[in-house]
Amino acid sequence: MPRAKGGFKTRQRRNRVLKEAEGFWGKRSKAYRSAQEAVDRARKYAYRDRKARKRDFRSLWIIRINAAARLSGLSYSVLMGGLKKAGVAVDRKALADLAIHDPSTFNKLAETAREQVAA
């Protein structure tokens, strides 16, 4: 039986990996084995960081809301607690956007929260 050297399918698989490794530095974009390791690592980081991006953005929104709340004389936790008691269903992304682009509306929401906490 003749030896199978790996023709079309093997070349196809290797070319797919090398194409994905385009733009990598040096041997990592040229040699199959180095490219395979680099691509595997890149996929692992991409998977991990898709989750981390969500945490990072939520953290950023909380920081922005807290800064704006403190300008209104409230802490972040008091603001969020007051808004929850008032039944205001605005997520953190929208609140952070309001804090930056429409401070007057954010201040009205802060007043609503302050009234709920005082009551």
Side-chain angles (χ1 to χ4, degrees), residues 26-94:
K27 197 174 189 181
R28 308 173 110 216
S29 66
K30 307 281 190 290
Y32 172 70
R33 184 178 291 182
S34 300
Q36 179 69 63
E37 290 169 1
V39 166
D40 285 348
R41 187 172 293 120
R43 286 178 181 155
K44 186 172 64 176
Y45 289 148
Y47 177 80
R48 181 195 69 188
D49 291 340
R50 280 195 297 275
K51 314 297 185 246
R53 184 191 306 129
K54 294 164 181 63
R55 292 192 298 266
D56 291 344
F57 269 106
R58 184 181 170 96
S59 173
L60 176 67
W61 298 331
I62 289 171
I63 289 167
R64 288 177 175 174
I65 294 167
N66 189 26
R70 289 189 183 276
L71 290 175
S72 300
L74 297 171
S75 69
Y76 171 79
S77 59
V78 170
L79 173 75
M80 296 308 284
L83 290 177
K84 190 168 185 177
K85 277 185 186 175
V88 177
V90 181
D91 63 359
R92 286 161 181 81
K93 181 178 180 179

Side-chain angles (χ1 to χ4, degrees), residues 100-113:
I100 292 171
H101 296 108
D102 194 3
S104 60
T105 306
F106 184 85
N107 288 334
K108 288 177 187 170
L109 288 172
E111 282 303 316
T112 305

